[in-house]
Amino acid sequence: MTYPPSGPGGHPQGGYPSGGYPQGPVPPGPPRSPWSSPAVLVAIGAGVLLVVVGVLAALLLIPADDESADRDSADGGKPSASTFTSTVTRPAETTTPTTATTTATTTTTTPPPVRPTPTVAGADWQGFTSGPRCNAADDPAVAVGQTARSRVVICQVGTQTGRLYYKGAAPEGGIELQFPTRTGDTFEARNGSVRYLVSPTSLTIVDGGAVLTEEPMLAYWSLPG
């Protein structure tokens, strides 16, 4: 088959017509959609705008309390706590210097009592330094006497005036007797039936009505009675 066809059904001999295709009615185009109409588009745009405006108005008109309630419901029903920060400014404190007060403490020292010194050689205010002598450190001697063979001391108990004891020493030994009595310058101590009499003149030892010994005093001293 040759082209262009030369038989029946083809174009007529002589080629294409010089005037183009013969004129005839123009076939109709595809149908237009009703949504492409300008009026419809304007109406759709206006509707969308109204919806947007309505949503915005509804959001603006919702009360704040409802908003908080909605948030509380979303958080499990617990209201959120508000935190307030408060700044307090205190005035500067004035420091007052502390004045140290020195209190002078006066200690009163009681001087030791004045002890009279016996006029008997080898004796002090408590008796003979080599014995006999008073027992306690604060017991003073109220009488001291010495014979050729004996030494005697009458002591007072501390500051208890009238409470006395007798101490004597001789080659045979020593003796201590409680509660001697005083008559003037004479002291008498008892040991059962035996009495020891100490005076400025002698040491006399008496048993009942018999004098056992009488020794003249070589030295004697006593406090005023």
Side-chain angles (χ1 to χ4, degrees):
M1 179 177 177
T2 61
Y3 187 86
S6 60
H11 291 286
Q13 294 294 326
Y16 291 96
S18 59
Y21 290 100
Q23 296 294 324
V26 179
R32 295 182 63 183
S33 171
W35 297 100
S36 63
S37 172
V40 173
L41 294 177
V42 171
I44 292 173
V48 171
L49 182 60
L50 287 175
V51 171
V52 171
V53 171
V55 171
L56 292 177
L59 292 176
L60 293 176
L61 292 177
I62 293 176
D65 293 340
D66 294 344
E67 249 182 315
S68 300
D70 293 342
R71 285 197 303 269
D72 294 342
S73 299
D75 293 339
K78 295 181 179 179
S80 59
S82 300
T83 302
F84 296 92
T85 302
S86 175
T87 302
V88 179
T89 302
R90 294 184 178 179
E93 296 181 357
T94 303
T95 303
T96 303
T98 303
T99 303
T101 303
T102 303
T103 303
T105 302
T106 303
T107 303
T108 303
T109 303
T110 303
V114 177
R115 305 293 189 181
T117 303
T119 56
V120 179
D124 60 15
W125 67 277
Q126 283 195 302
F128 290 93
T129 56
S130 58
R133 62 190 293 106
C134 300
N135 297 330
D138 59 346
D139 289 356
V142 297
V144 177
Q146 182 175 10
T147 67
R149 58 186 307 273
S150 303
R151 289 177 293 184
V152 296
V153 178
I154 308 297
C155 299
Q156 176 179 288
V157 178
T159 57
Q160 302 179 42
T161 303
R163 186 176 178 184
L164 309 175
Y165 56 95
Y166 170 97
K167 297 188 75 172
E172 295 83 1
I175 189 173
E176 180 174 342
L177 303 174
Q178 299 296 319
F179 311 116
T181 58
R182 180 173 186 174
T183 304
D185 289 337
T186 302
F187 296 85
E188 180 179 336
R190 289 179 176 267
N191 183 17
S193 61
V194 180
R195 298 180 297 156
Y196 295 79
L197 304 174
V198 180
S199 69
T201 59
S202 65
L203 167 62
T204 304
I205 303 174
V206 179
D207 185 2
V211 176
L212 300 181
T213 184
E214 184 175 359
E215 302 175 12
M217 282 292 180
L218 300 178
Y220 181 83
W221 169 91
S222 68
L223 288 175

PDB file of all heavy atoms in Angstrom, residues 32-52:
ATOM      1  N   ARG A  32     -18.160  22.453  31.344  1.00  0.00           N
ATOM      2  CA  ARG A  32     -17.498  23.173  32.440  1.00  0.00           C
ATOM      3  C   ARG A  32     -18.111  22.758  33.764  1.00  0.00           C
ATOM      4  O   ARG A  32     -19.311  22.579  33.868  1.00  0.00           O
ATOM      5  CB  ARG A  32     -17.633  24.683  32.247  1.00  0.00           C
ATOM      6  CG  ARG A  32     -16.893  25.210  31.009  1.00  0.00           C
ATOM      7  CD  ARG A  32     -17.035  26.698  30.919  1.00  0.00           C
ATOM      8  NE  ARG A  32     -16.419  27.336  32.064  1.00  0.00           N
ATOM      9  CZ  ARG A  32     -16.454  28.655  32.253  1.00  0.00           C
ATOM     10  NH1 ARG A  32     -17.084  29.446  31.404  1.00  0.00           N
ATOM     11  NH2 ARG A  32     -15.874  29.162  33.327  1.00  0.00           N
ATOM     12  N   SER A  33     -17.229  22.658  34.846  1.00  0.00           N
ATOM     13  CA  SER A  33     -17.716  22.292  36.190  1.00  0.00           C
ATOM     14  C   SER A  33     -18.415  23.476  36.844  1.00  0.00           C
ATOM     15  O   SER A  33     -17.949  24.615  36.733  1.00  0.00           O
ATOM     16  CB  SER A  33     -16.537  21.873  37.105  1.00  0.00           C
ATOM     17  OG  SER A  33     -16.982  21.717  38.426  1.00  0.00           O
ATOM     18  N   PRO A  34     -19.546  23.231  37.523  1.00  0.00           N
ATOM     19  CA  PRO A  34     -20.241  24.352  38.170  1.00  0.00           C
ATOM     20  C   PRO A  34     -19.420  24.959  39.307  1.00  0.00           C
ATOM     21  O   PRO A  34     -19.656  26.069  39.725  1.00  0.00           O
ATOM     22  CB  PRO A  34     -21.523  23.711  38.694  1.00  0.00           C
ATOM     23  CG  PRO A  34     -21.207  22.250  38.819  1.00  0.00           C
ATOM     24  CD  PRO A  34     -20.246  21.952  37.701  1.00  0.00           C
ATOM     25  N   TRP A  35     -18.425  24.231  39.936  1.00  0.00           N
ATOM     26  CA  TRP A  35     -17.627  24.754  41.050  1.00  0.00           C
ATOM     27  C   TRP A  35     -16.597  25.786  40.596  1.00  0.00           C
ATOM     28  O   TRP A  35     -15.995  26.458  41.411  1.00  0.00           O
ATOM     29  CB  TRP A  35     -16.898  23.606  41.762  1.00  0.00           C
ATOM     30  CG  TRP A  35     -17.837  22.620  42.385  1.00  0.00           C
ATOM     31  CD1 TRP A  35     -18.214  21.427  41.918  1.00  0.00           C
ATOM     32  CD2 TRP A  35     -18.532  22.839  43.583  1.00  0.00           C
ATOM     33  NE1 TRP A  35     -19.115  20.810  42.720  1.00  0.00           N
ATOM     34  CE2 TRP A  35     -19.340  21.692  43.807  1.00  0.00           C
ATOM     35  CE3 TRP A  35     -18.610  23.881  44.541  1.00  0.00           C
ATOM     36  CZ2 TRP A  35     -20.180  21.558  44.897  1.00  0.00           C
ATOM     37  CZ3 TRP A  35     -19.433  23.711  45.625  1.00  0.00           C
ATOM     38  CH2 TRP A  35     -20.217  22.573  45.794  1.00  0.00           C
ATOM     39  N   SER A  36     -16.375  25.858  39.228  1.00  0.00           N
ATOM     40  CA  SER A  36     -15.401  26.829  38.746  1.00  0.00           C
ATOM     41  C   SER A  36     -16.016  28.177  38.487  1.00  0.00           C
ATOM     42  O   SER A  36     -15.339  29.101  38.070  1.00  0.00           O
ATOM     43  CB  SER A  36     -14.732  26.278  37.476  1.00  0.00           C
ATOM     44  OG  SER A  36     -15.693  26.117  36.456  1.00  0.00           O
ATOM     45  N   SER A  37     -17.274  28.293  38.802  1.00  0.00           N
ATOM     46  CA  SER A  37     -17.933  29.580  38.596  1.00  0.00           C
ATOM     47  C   SER A  37     -17.414  30.589  39.607  1.00  0.00           C
ATOM     48  O   SER A  37     -17.252  30.274  40.786  1.00  0.00           O
ATOM     49  CB  SER A  37     -19.452  29.404  38.746  1.00  0.00           C
ATOM     50  OG  SER A  37     -20.077  30.660  38.723  1.00  0.00           O
ATOM     51  N   PRO A  38     -17.130  31.833  39.190  1.00  0.00           N
ATOM     52  CA  PRO A  38     -16.648  32.859  40.125  1.00  0.00           C
ATOM     53  C   PRO A  38     -17.598  33.082  41.279  1.00  0.00           C
ATOM     54  O   PRO A  38     -17.185  33.296  42.410  1.00  0.00           O
ATOM     55  CB  PRO A  38     -16.501  34.097  39.252  1.00  0.00           C
ATOM     56  CG  PRO A  38     -16.298  33.561  37.871  1.00  0.00           C
ATOM     57  CD  PRO A  38     -17.148  32.317  37.778  1.00  0.00           C
ATOM     58  N   ALA A  39     -18.887  33.026  41.045  1.00  0.00           N
ATOM     59  CA  ALA A  39     -19.858  33.270  42.129  1.00  0.00           C
ATOM     60  C   ALA A  39     -19.758  32.186  43.196  1.00  0.00           C
ATOM     61  O   ALA A  39     -19.821  32.439  44.408  1.00  0.00           O
ATOM     62  CB  ALA A  39     -21.281  33.324  41.547  1.00  0.00           C
ATOM     63  N   VAL A  40     -19.567  30.932  42.748  1.00  0.00           N
ATOM     64  CA  VAL A  40     -19.466  29.826  43.697  1.00  0.00           C
ATOM     65  C   VAL A  40     -18.194  29.958  44.530  1.00  0.00           C
ATOM     66  O   VAL A  40     -18.166  29.744  45.739  1.00  0.00           O
ATOM     67  CB  VAL A  40     -19.527  28.484  42.954  1.00  0.00           C
ATOM     68  CG1 VAL A  40     -19.252  27.332  43.923  1.00  0.00           C
ATOM     69  CG2 VAL A  40     -20.872  28.303  42.297  1.00  0.00           C
ATOM     70  N   LEU A  41     -17.105  30.299  43.884  1.00  0.00           N
ATOM     71  CA  LEU A  41     -15.832  30.450  44.603  1.00  0.00           C
ATOM     72  C   LEU A  41     -15.917  31.545  45.646  1.00  0.00           C
ATOM     73  O   LEU A  41     -15.392  31.416  46.774  1.00  0.00           O
ATOM     74  CB  LEU A  41     -14.698  30.740  43.615  1.00  0.00           C
ATOM     75  CG  LEU A  41     -14.352  29.611  42.629  1.00  0.00           C
ATOM     76  CD1 LEU A  41     -13.270  30.051  41.655  1.00  0.00           C
ATOM     77  CD2 LEU A  41     -13.875  28.378  43.408  1.00  0.00           C
ATOM     78  N   VAL A  42     -16.549  32.658  45.317  1.00  0.00           N
ATOM     79  CA  VAL A  42     -16.697  33.763  46.275  1.00  0.00           C
ATOM     80  C   VAL A  42     -17.524  33.314  47.469  1.00  0.00           C
ATOM     81  O   VAL A  42     -17.221  33.600  48.628  1.00  0.00           O
ATOM     82  CB  VAL A  42     -17.333  34.971  45.573  1.00  0.00           C
ATOM     83  CG1 VAL A  42     -17.701  36.044  46.622  1.00  0.00           C
ATOM     84  CG2 VAL A  42     -16.375  35.583  44.570  1.00  0.00           C
ATOM     85  N   ALA A  43     -18.586  32.542  47.159  1.00  0.00           N
ATOM     86  CA  ALA A  43     -19.439  32.075  48.257  1.00  0.00           C
ATOM     87  C   ALA A  43     -18.677  31.120  49.176  1.00  0.00           C
ATOM     88  O   ALA A  43     -18.801  31.167  50.409  1.00  0.00           O
ATOM     89  CB  ALA A  43     -20.684  31.382  47.677  1.00  0.00           C
ATOM     90  N   ILE A  44     -17.867  30.233  48.597  1.00  0.00           N
ATOM     91  CA  ILE A  44     -17.075  29.296  49.422  1.00  0.00           C
ATOM     92  C   ILE A  44     -16.093  30.051  50.313  1.00  0.00           C
ATOM     93  O   ILE A  44     -15.916  29.770  51.503  1.00  0.00           O
ATOM     94  CB  ILE A  44     -16.356  28.280  48.525  1.00  0.00           C
ATOM     95  CG1 ILE A  44     -17.387  27.348  47.870  1.00  0.00           C
ATOM     96  CG2 ILE A  44     -15.343  27.463  49.333  1.00  0.00           C
ATOM     97  CD1 ILE A  44     -16.787  26.421  46.837  1.00  0.00           C
ATOM     98  N   GLY A  45     -15.389  31.052  49.724  1.00  0.00           N
ATOM     99  CA  GLY A  45     -14.440  31.837  50.510  1.00  0.00           C
ATOM    100  C   GLY A  45     -15.110  32.561  51.653  1.00  0.00           C
ATOM    101  O   GLY A  45     -14.593  32.632  52.782  1.00  0.00           O
ATOM    102  N   ALA A  46     -16.295  33.117  51.405  1.00  0.00           N
ATOM    103  CA  ALA A  46     -17.021  33.813  52.473  1.00  0.00           C
ATOM    104  C   ALA A  46     -17.422  32.850  53.573  1.00  0.00           C
ATOM    105  O   ALA A  46     -17.336  33.163  54.778  1.00  0.00           O
ATOM    106  CB  ALA A  46     -18.259  34.505  51.885  1.00  0.00           C
ATOM    107  N   GLY A  47     -17.816  31.625  53.183  1.00  0.00           N
ATOM    108  CA  GLY A  47     -18.203  30.640  54.206  1.00  0.00           C
ATOM    109  C   GLY A  47     -17.031  30.238  55.083  1.00  0.00           C
ATOM    110  O   GLY A  47     -17.138  30.127  56.319  1.00  0.00           O
ATOM    111  N   VAL A  48     -15.881  30.012  54.469  1.00  0.00           N
ATOM    112  CA  VAL A  48     -14.684  29.643  55.251  1.00  0.00           C
ATOM    113  C   VAL A  48     -14.304  30.756  56.208  1.00  0.00           C
ATOM    114  O   VAL A  48     -13.936  30.540  57.370  1.00  0.00           O
ATOM    115  CB  VAL A  48     -13.518  29.296  54.302  1.00  0.00           C
ATOM    116  CG1 VAL A  48     -12.212  29.123  55.090  1.00  0.00           C
ATOM    117  CG2 VAL A  48     -13.830  28.049  53.507  1.00  0.00           C
ATOM    118  N   LEU A  49     -14.364  32.012  55.734  1.00  0.00           N
ATOM    119  CA  LEU A  49     -14.041  33.161  56.573  1.00  0.00           C
ATOM    120  C   LEU A  49     -14.961  33.251  57.776  1.00  0.00           C
ATOM    121  O   LEU A  49     -14.531  33.516  58.916  1.00  0.00           O
ATOM    122  CB  LEU A  49     -14.107  34.435  55.739  1.00  0.00           C
ATOM    123  CG  LEU A  49     -13.734  35.739  56.490  1.00  0.00           C
ATOM    124  CD1 LEU A  49     -12.306  35.655  57.018  1.00  0.00           C
ATOM    125  CD2 LEU A  49     -13.881  36.934  55.555  1.00  0.00           C
ATOM    126  N   LEU A  50     -16.271  32.993  57.570  1.00  0.00           N
ATOM    127  CA  LEU A  50     -17.222  33.034  58.674  1.00  0.00           C
ATOM    128  C   LEU A  50     -16.912  31.950  59.719  1.00  0.00           C
ATOM    129  O   LEU A  50     -17.018  32.165  60.931  1.00  0.00           O
ATOM    130  CB  LEU A  50     -18.656  32.858  58.139  1.00  0.00           C
ATOM    131  CG  LEU A  50     -19.231  34.068  57.380  1.00  0.00           C
ATOM    132  CD1 LEU A  50     -20.604  33.728  56.802  1.00  0.00           C
ATOM    133  CD2 LEU A  50     -19.343  35.281  58.300  1.00  0.00           C
ATOM    134  N   VAL A  51     -16.542  30.758  59.237  1.00  0.00           N
ATOM    135  CA  VAL A  51     -16.200  29.682  60.178  1.00  0.00           C
ATOM    136  C   VAL A  51     -14.988  30.070  61.041  1.00  0.00           C
ATOM    137  O   VAL A  51     -14.952  29.874  62.255  1.00  0.00           O
ATOM    138  CB  VAL A  51     -15.955  28.369  59.418  1.00  0.00           C
ATOM    139  CG1 VAL A  51     -15.398  27.312  60.366  1.00  0.00           C
ATOM    140  CG2 VAL A  51     -17.240  27.881  58.780  1.00  0.00           C
ATOM    141  N   VAL A  52     -13.956  30.641  60.387  1.00  0.00           N
ATOM    142  CA  VAL A  52     -12.742  31.028  61.131  1.00  0.00           C
ATOM    143  C   VAL A  52     -13.064  32.100  62.169  1.00  0.00           C
ATOM    144  O   VAL A  52     -12.629  32.055  63.321  1.00  0.00           O
ATOM    145  CB  VAL A  52     -11.654  31.498  60.158  1.00  0.00           C
ATOM    146  CG1 VAL A  52     -10.469  32.101  60.937  1.00  0.00           C
ATOM    147  CG2 VAL A  52     -11.191  30.357  59.280  1.00  0.00           C
TER     148      VAL A  52
END
